[in-house]
Amino acid sequence: MCEFPPFRLDTGNQSLLRNVREGEVERIQLRPKAFSILKYLTDNAGRLVTHDEIMERLWRNTYVQPEVLASHIRDIRVALGDDARRPRFVETVARRGYRFIARVGSAETVSAHQAKGAGSRQLVGRESPLSTLLKSYQAATTGRRQLVFVTGEPGIGKTALCREFLRQLRGDEQAPYMAWGQCIEGYGVQEPYFPVLKAVSQLCSAGGEPVMHVFKAKAPTCMVQFSDLLTVEQRLALESDTRGATSGRMLREMLDALEELGKSRPVVVVLDDLQWVDRATVDVISEFARRHEPARVLIVGAYRPLEAFLSENPIKALKDALVAHQLCGEIGLASLTQADVADYLAPMCADEALRIRLANLLYRRSEGNSLFMVAALEHIVEQGLMHDRDGRLCLTVPVEELGLDIPRTLRTVIEAQIDHLSAEGRRVLEAASVAGVDFTPAAVAAAADYPLAQVEDICHDLARRQQVIRPAGIGHHSHAADRPRYEFVHVLYREVLYEQQAPGRRSARHLLIGRQLERLYGGQVEDVASELALHFEHALDWEAAVRYLRISAENAERRYSHREAIALLQQALEGAVRLPEEKRREVELRLLEKLAMSYVASFDARCVETYERLAEAAASYGFAEKCADALLNMATCLSWDDSDRCLKVAERVSRVASNIGDPLMQARLQMSCHFWRVWAGGWNTAEAQQASRIFLMLRRQCETATLARESIDFGMLQWASSEYRESYQAVAEGLEAISDALVGQNPYLSIAYQKAQFYLPRALLFQGEWGRALQVLDASIELADKNGDSFPAHMLRLSRSWVHFHAMDFEEVLTARALVENLGDRFGGSYLVRLGRLLFGSADVALGNYESAAETLRMTREEMNSHPIVLDWCFRLPLQAALSELWLSSGRLSLAREEAGAYLRLAFSTDDRTYQALALEVSARVAMALGDTSVALDFIARGIRVIEQRTVPLAAWRVHATAASLLGGTGEAALAQRHHQKARVAILSLADSLAERHALKAKFLSSLIKAGVLQEGTGHAA
């Protein structure tokens, strides 16, 4: 392996490696032909390699245009951060060829040189903390996950300790996977998972395909963030797999992938400057610490406790909680002792007496702060008060006089060092401090008001001397910003340089850097959206700042972080207030809409007030359609908890619609109003028919994609009208249209999508397609669980429990009881709790748990009376069914007759033929129990007429079975037998909708045999 610092050629893996800093290597991907050209040039370093020689060597017997070779050379220069005008690696010899001009050596030779250099930069006074880190690593190698926090004041040596730790691990024969994630001070614009994703990107770049394979398999939500590491096909496949994911899923998958990676080699991740960490990363650290499974992973987090406390960053509270539960370790770095300072000086100062006196001076002035000590020493050298003679430091003035020249605080030491810079160097660094902790010359050249080439030369010279800045690697994006990056050797240098500038100068430079970044990133500005938002906010360019805050929020949504997206959108709304009114209108409405959608996706009650705010703003700006749309979404949100308010909002929509000139839009809105009058206000056949007529008219005139919401609402009305096949078709069409419109987005951002997800399997259940209903539900539940969507998962599980209820698997139904116990106080929880109690009370009745059933059903009825929510008119049907069965089964026949009568009246106030038939069937059984055969026969005859008019498989077998039993008792054997046969056919049709070996099929049939409805072994009705 050949090496030309800071690069190495890894010939085995056909890739270029760069030593970014001690303990960190990045892998730079080159196309195979570009790599071959670079290898050939390094093999022949120092001599001219002609165009013809390269062509003959690498394209033998193939004609290639000269432009192809030039293109590969450009790729090589981008990878090396080289400049054709001032080459450091590849020199162009005009019209002849190329020469590799950097010194090339073997890896072994360079490593020996680096080892010698490391001795001159020894880490002193940190033997114990370093030993603690090494012991934690050894524990991690045995499968005991480790989390260690390194804490201390600025400049105390946290970063240096971590770098030395990684350097020593790199020398291990079985070196671990290592990555470094740096937090950046964002002034409120924080990207979720920023340092963790940086670390993962390093792991994938350095580890190549084996590491990427692990993350693709275990953490697709994480891997899809790195489009530059994926092919188009891989990205599309990952986007499909991660659709609808949540922050919980991404968090879980990140840790799963790290732990899986640790099975082949230990993994060490350092997260630095956690006093600026985003909350999503805090969640990652917390989850990692609280997992109990073995893992060969060590996470080291470094931060400044005081700054974390003052900024109210949650990292300190998390650390304290984890320490209290012994789930992490803490290394609090103390100041260096005077002896430590003397040890640091030992390799530089042979005169022991001088060394002790100098150590005493530096210690007293720095108080043991390592950055202060080093900066003060550099200041003395820069002032000419100390110089190097044959590798040893000698003073040019007495030690006592040095004390007069060393500033008394770390900040003033840094200021003195900055004052010693050249005017050009200081100007470039001032511009760089505005760019951030790390920067590219291309980004800051305009702000420094120097040509790019001059800025590159200044940065290269400063970094070569480790004067304030150092190299920080090369970007990987396919745009003009692919140039060498630099970083300040310590964030305090950046802070001092930034604060020394007048506010007006800083603001102007923020603006110049922001505009330059826009030019550099072109069509990929989303990659630096949070950075651009920060620059334009400080430049007081509110239009641009708001635009990039919105894009940052969209980035957060792509990382499934609703919390961070919400915070960014709120910040954008605050900025939008500063825009001129003509620009503010559209921006404000767009931001409010996105904010409301984020609340909806996270099932946050604030969606209601945000939609209200959106509706009011749209109305005040004269956007009636936008106002009506906001009100409709608000009505849906309210329906989960308050049907009365939902109805009032629907009436507001009707009033707004009357002022809209577009007849088709007006019709769509009026249809929605009719829908909500039925859905929230109670069944009304005239309203339902009017909504259906409007929809059928719209379907003839509008594209399917335009009517997604209306198609789903129509399907729901068809379900309530017992038109189950039409219901399924309409809901499926609407769901498909929404899915097509939301490609690459979280589908839970759409309220209509959420409704469709529940009514699609419901239509299949009532249609008698139990197998298909379970398939749809199981697929949705699997995705919801995978994505961490607990609320939708609970709803879907309850829907699946209704299938089990109708299949008479009552024990399985009751296992879902724990799902809803703690959901009552959550937004939308009332709906789930009510649905669950209905289900569990009904199952208790069937199992003979009458006391428990009576209490559950009583509580449910009282809640319906005191706090109505959407679909209560529909929920009362299974409630009355359960109460009728309860009193009939327990022998309290007068109550059974009373509840059955109420059941009948309620069922026939709707168009629900399933419950009409079931109400007549149970009324017939109550009459039989009371000995009133003629009344029973009348009820069952009416029930038969209902099931003959509509396909209602859930009711058909029960009506026929009861008719057979009743008629058999009256001596009409032939007629009874016909109903026996029809009951059997209906039962087997339901059973056959399930797979042959499905456990629910066996449960259903065996329950009916046990109940005497079927004959055992024959499949005939009893």
Side-chain angles (χ1 to χ4, degrees):
M1 183 183 293
C2 73
E3 186 155 357
F4 41 99
F7 297 98
R8 285 181 288 161
L9 279 184
D10 183 352
T11 54
N13 291 305
Q14 293 269 302
S15 58
L16 178 66
L17 304 179
R18 175 185 172 87
N19 299 318
V20 178
R21 51 180 71 88
E22 289 183 27
E24 183 179 336
V25 174
E26 68 173 332
R27 187 178 297 272
I28 302 170
Q29 298 297 333
L30 282 173
R31 287 182 288 178
K33 192 63 73 175
F35 181 86
S36 298
I37 294 170
L38 178 58
K39 184 177 184 305
Y40 191 71
L41 291 174
T42 58
D43 288 345
N44 295 275
R47 77 170 181 86
L48 171 66
V49 179
T50 66
H51 297 136
D52 291 342
E53 181 180 348
I54 295 175
M55 293 291 190
E56 175 63 24
R57 182 74 178 187
L58 300 178
W59 279 282
R60 185 170 297 173
N61 301 323
T62 302
Y63 175 74
V64 177
Q65 293 282 356
E67 291 81 5
V68 174
L69 174 58
S71 174
H72 287 302
I73 292 294
R74 282 195 296 273
D75 288 346
I76 291 170
R77 284 188 169 128
V78 167
L80 296 175
D82 207 10
D83 188 337
R85 294 168 300 174
R86 295 176 177 79
R88 291 180 293 132
F89 298 101
V90 179
E91 178 185 61
T92 299
V93 181
R95 293 184 294 278
R96 297 182 63 191
Y98 304 97
R99 179 184 291 112
F100 197 83
I101 58 177
R103 181 177 179 181
V104 178
S106 68
E108 292 75 13
T109 302
V110 177
S111 296
H113 174 75
Q114 289 174 341
K116 180 179 178 181
S120 65
R121 298 186 301 274
Q122 60 181 329
L123 194 70
V124 297
R126 300 295 182 231
E127 293 79 9
S128 178
L130 185 57
S131 174
T132 300
L133 284 177
L134 291 170
K135 287 177 181 177
S136 296
Y137 171 70
Q138 290 302 320
T141 62
T142 66
R144 289 183 290 155
R145 68 179 63 237
Q146 298 289 301
L147 172 63
V148 179
F149 289 101
V150 178
T151 61
E153 65 182 33
I156 202 68
K158 301 180 295 294
T159 301
L161 172 66
C162 293
R163 293 200 187 287
E164 175 62 18
F165 169 58
L166 293 187
R167 189 190 70 79
Q168 293 197 17
L169 292 184
R170 190 170 299 283
D172 196 311
E173 291 183 1
Q174 296 180 329
Y177 290 110
M178 289 180 280
W180 189 286
Q182 182 82 36
C183 299
I184 303 296
E185 189 174 12
Y187 302 102
V189 187
Q190 290 183 312
E191 294 183 35
Y193 306 109
F194 180 82
V196 181
L197 288 175
K198 286 291 184 185
V200 171
S201 177
Q202 287 180 18
L203 288 170
C204 291
S205 297
E209 186 54 39
V211 174
M212 291 174 61
H213 176 76
V214 170
F215 276 90
K216 288 174 191 173
K218 290 290 184 177
T221 52
C222 184
M223 202 64 207
V224 77
Q225 309 298 325
F226 306 118
S227 57
D228 54 324
L229 298 177
L230 302 170
T231 65
V232 174
E233 293 77 13
Q234 289 172 334
R235 179 171 52 79
L236 291 175
L238 289 175
E239 285 178 352
S240 175
D241 183 37
T242 57
R243 195 174 187 191
T246 63
S247 57
R249 176 181 172 186
M250 185 164 178
L251 181 157
R252 182 180 68 250
E253 289 186 349
M254 278 182 179
L255 295 178
D256 288 348
L258 288 173
E259 291 168 11
E260 181 67 23
L261 194 62
K263 293 178 180 178
S264 58
R265 280 162 53 190
V267 178
V268 178
V269 176
V270 176
L271 303 176
D272 199 11
D273 282 328
L274 288 177
Q275 69 272 5
W276 298 320
V277 70
D278 61 274
R279 291 179 180 269
T281 298
V282 173
D283 292 340
V284 172
I285 297 170
S286 176
E287 173 66 14
F288 172 79
R290 290 182 165 92
R291 287 188 171 192
H292 300 295
E293 300 82 7
R296 299 207 302 164
V297 180
L298 164 62
I299 295 180
V300 179
Y303 74 94
R304 309 176 198 170
L306 181 59
E307 286 194 30
F309 172 76
L310 293 176
S311 64
E312 298 182 349
N313 191 291
I315 191 64
K316 185 179 185 302
L318 173 65
K319 186 269 297 180
D320 291 343
L322 294 178
V323 168
H325 291 88
Q326 298 182 329
L327 294 175
C328 74
E330 180 180 11
I331 300 174
L333 291 188
S335 300
L336 298 176
T337 66
Q338 184 172 332
D340 295 330
V341 178
D343 289 342
Y344 180 81
L345 294 171
M348 317 174 203
C349 186
D351 186 332
E352 183 177 0
L354 174 60
R355 182 170 68 248
I356 292 173
R357 293 168 66 198
L358 187 56
N360 179 47
L361 172 64
L362 290 172
Y363 174 72
R364 283 188 291 104
R365 188 55 56 85
S366 69
E367 296 183 340
N369 183 289
S370 56
L371 178 62
F372 194 163
M373 175 192 71
V374 173
L377 197 59
E378 291 175 352
H379 173 72
I380 294 171
V381 173
E382 289 166 358
Q383 294 295 314
L385 306 176
M386 182 184 296
H387 66 273
D388 187 309
R389 179 186 297 165
D390 298 326
R392 297 290 180 175
L393 293 177
C394 300
L395 293 179
T396 58
V397 297
V399 171
E400 292 75 15
E401 294 184 21
L402 287 179
L404 300 176
D405 289 282
I406 299 177
R408 294 192 172 277
T409 68
L410 175 56
R411 188 168 291 269
T412 52
V413 169
I414 292 174
E415 289 172 349
Q417 284 186 285
I418 291 170
D419 289 340
H420 194 68
L421 294 170
S422 66
E424 294 83 0
R426 177 166 182 160
R427 188 167 181 169
V428 168
L429 291 180
E430 284 178 348
S433 74
V434 175
V437 175
D438 68 353
F439 62 93
T440 64
V444 303
D449 198 22
Y450 287 145
L452 174 58
Q454 184 178 355
V455 173
E456 288 178 331
D457 288 342
I458 291 171
C459 290
H460 175 70
D461 184 56
L462 290 170
R464 181 178 56 81
R465 292 184 280 117
Q466 290 281 298
Q467 193 171 13
V468 184
I469 61 173
R470 62 189 172 202
I474 296 176
H476 292 289
H477 301 292
S478 54
H479 45 58
D482 283 331
R483 295 176 180 271
R485 299 187 69 86
Y486 297 92
E487 65 182 3
F488 287 93
V489 294
H490 196 281
V491 69
L492 288 176
Y493 285 94
R494 184 255 169 191
E495 291 175 3
V496 170
L497 281 159
Y498 186 81
E499 291 168 6
Q500 284 184 340
Q501 301 172 67
R505 173 62 64 87
R506 289 201 302 258
S507 180
R509 282 174 166 165
H510 275 295
L511 182 62
L512 289 168
I513 291 171
R515 289 176 176 171
Q516 179 66 0
L517 286 173
E518 286 182 316
R519 287 190 288 271
L520 290 172
Y521 281 77
Q524 294 178 288
V525 289
E526 64 275 5
D527 292 341
V528 287
S530 60
E531 192 174 343
L532 285 165
L534 175 66
H535 286 305
F536 287 118
E537 187 172 344
H538 283 284
L540 305 182
D541 184 341
W542 296 108
E543 183 177 359
V546 167
R547 179 169 67 253
Y548 288 114
L549 283 168
R550 175 181 56 78
I551 295 174
S552 296
E554 292 169 357
N555 288 340
E557 286 288 0
R558 276 193 287 273
R559 295 179 185 177
Y560 327 109
S561 300
H562 301 309
R563 178 181 57 199
E564 285 75 12
I566 287 167
L568 288 163
L569 289 168
Q570 289 171 335
Q571 188 175 346
L573 281 166
E574 292 173 5
V577 175
R578 302 169 184 265
L579 298 178
E581 183 176 349
E582 64 275 8
K583 292 183 178 180
R584 183 174 71 243
R585 295 176 179 178
E586 186 177 347
V587 170
E588 182 183 358
L589 295 179
R590 187 175 183 182
L591 291 172
L592 283 170
E593 185 175 24
K594 285 188 170 294
L595 180 59
M597 291 168 67
S598 292
Y599 284 136
V600 167
S602 51
F603 296 91
D604 190 316
R606 288 175 290 179
C607 61
V608 173
E609 62 189 61
T610 307
Y611 275 124
E612 179 68 79
R613 184 178 169 189
L614 173 58
E616 291 176 354
S620 68
Y621 295 148
F623 296 107
E625 290 183 18
K626 181 70 73 176
C627 173
D629 191 63
L631 290 171
L632 281 176
N633 285 322
M634 180 181 170
T636 303
C637 297
L638 284 168
S639 70
W640 299 333
D641 275 316
D642 192 332
S643 60
D644 290 339
R645 286 184 66 194
C646 171
L647 278 172
K648 290 176 182 176
V649 171
E651 293 309 317
R652 288 170 62 188
V653 175
S654 181
R655 291 193 294 272
V656 172
S658 64
N659 296 318
I660 291 177
D662 182 348
L664 289 178
M665 176 55 67
Q666 190 176 73
R668 291 173 62 190
L669 294 173
Q670 290 296 352
M671 179 203 163
S672 295
C673 293
H674 290 302
F675 169 81
W676 281 115
R677 288 173 188 143
V678 172
W679 220 246
W683 184 260
N684 183 306
T685 301
E687 292 281 0
Q689 289 176 346
Q690 183 64 12
S692 297
R693 279 195 293 270
I694 294 174
F695 175 75
L696 295 174
M697 178 273 291
L698 288 169
R699 190 156 65 177
R700 290 191 296 270
Q701 300 186 47
C702 301
E703 295 289 335
T704 303
T706 306
L707 298 177
R709 178 171 62 193
E710 291 80 5
S711 183
I712 291 167
D713 288 350
F714 173 73
M716 292 163 65
L717 290 173
Q718 291 297 92
W719 169 79
S721 302
S722 302
E723 299 288 356
Y724 303 124
R725 198 169 299 279
E726 292 81 356
S727 170
Y728 175 82
Q729 181 179 350
V731 174
E733 286 178 359
L735 185 61
E736 182 179 4
I738 291 172
S739 298
D740 290 343
L742 291 174
V743 170
Q745 299 181 55
N746 181 354
Y748 284 108
L749 292 170
S750 165
I751 293 178
Y753 175 91
Q754 296 180 27
K755 290 196 294 187
Q757 193 178 37
F758 303 120
Y759 280 94
L760 196 69
R762 195 168 292 183
L764 291 170
L765 165 63
F766 278 76
Q767 189 177 314
E769 296 284 348
W770 291 355
R772 289 178 63 197
L774 288 173
Q775 288 174 359
V776 171
L777 285 164
D778 287 342
S780 298
I781 289 169
E782 181 183 5
L783 182 60
D785 285 342
K786 189 176 183 180
N787 287 340
D789 289 315
S790 59
F791 193 82
H794 291 337
M795 177 80 81
L796 291 162
R797 283 188 167 84
L798 286 178
S799 296
R800 185 172 63 180
S801 292
W802 276 109
V803 181
H804 283 264
F805 174 79
H806 285 287
M808 306 184 79
D809 188 3
F810 306 119
E811 294 86 354
E812 176 63 24
V813 169
L814 293 181
T815 63
R817 197 189 294 271
L819 292 177
V820 299
E821 288 179 353
N822 300 314
L823 292 176
D825 294 332
R826 181 169 175 176
F827 182 64
S830 299
Y831 182 89
L832 279 184
V833 170
R834 195 159 300 177
L835 187 65
R837 284 178 178 163
L838 272 174
L839 183 59
F840 307 140
S842 301
D844 274 332
V845 171
L847 291 170
N849 304 326
Y850 300 138
E851 186 175 341
S852 172
E855 177 60 22
T856 300
L857 297 173
R858 180 195 62 78
M859 188 185 308
T860 303
R861 173 178 276 177
E862 289 179 356
E863 287 178 350
M864 285 183 174
N865 293 335
S866 64
H867 181 62
I869 61 173
V870 70
L871 274 187
D872 266 354
W873 61 269
C874 184
F875 286 165
R876 287 184 184 274
L877 291 168
L879 173 65
Q880 289 302 137
L883 288 168
S884 301
E885 291 288 354
L886 169 64
W887 304 131
L888 177 60
S889 301
S890 61
R892 302 178 68 175
L893 297 184
S894 61
L895 286 174
R897 180 169 54 190
E898 180 183 335
E899 296 295 356
Y903 187 9
L904 266 178
R905 290 190 296 275
L906 182 63
F908 278 89
S909 71
T910 74
D911 287 349
D912 193 314
R913 301 299 191 268
T914 293
Y915 280 106
Q916 287 176 3
L918 289 172
L920 289 164
E921 185 272 337
V922 75
S923 294
R925 285 189 286 117
V926 170
M928 288 170 62
L930 289 168
D932 197 338
T933 303
S934 62
V935 173
L937 286 170
D938 180 63
F939 280 136
I940 207 64
R942 291 170 61 190
I944 290 169
R945 286 196 295 273
V946 171
I947 64 174
E948 287 176 346
Q949 292 169 2
R950 284 292 165 82
T951 303
V952 285
L954 297 188
W957 73 267
R958 293 180 180 273
V959 171
H960 284 302
T962 298
S965 176
L966 178 59
L967 291 167
T970 61
E972 300 210 32
L975 189 56
Q977 183 57 38
R978 284 200 295 273
H979 284 292
H980 285 158
Q981 182 62 21
K982 289 181 178 181
R984 174 183 174 276
V985 170
I987 289 167
L988 294 180
S989 176
L990 290 170
D992 288 343
S993 74
L994 297 162
E996 185 61 34
R997 296 183 180 277
H998 200 294
L1000 192 58
K1001 180 175 185 176
K1003 178 68 176 178
F1004 179 50
L1005 293 175
S1006 65
S1007 296
L1008 291 174
I1009 291 170
K1010 184 177 179 180
V1013 179
L1014 287 179
Q1015 292 179 352
E1016 187 170 4
T1018 65
H1020 290 287

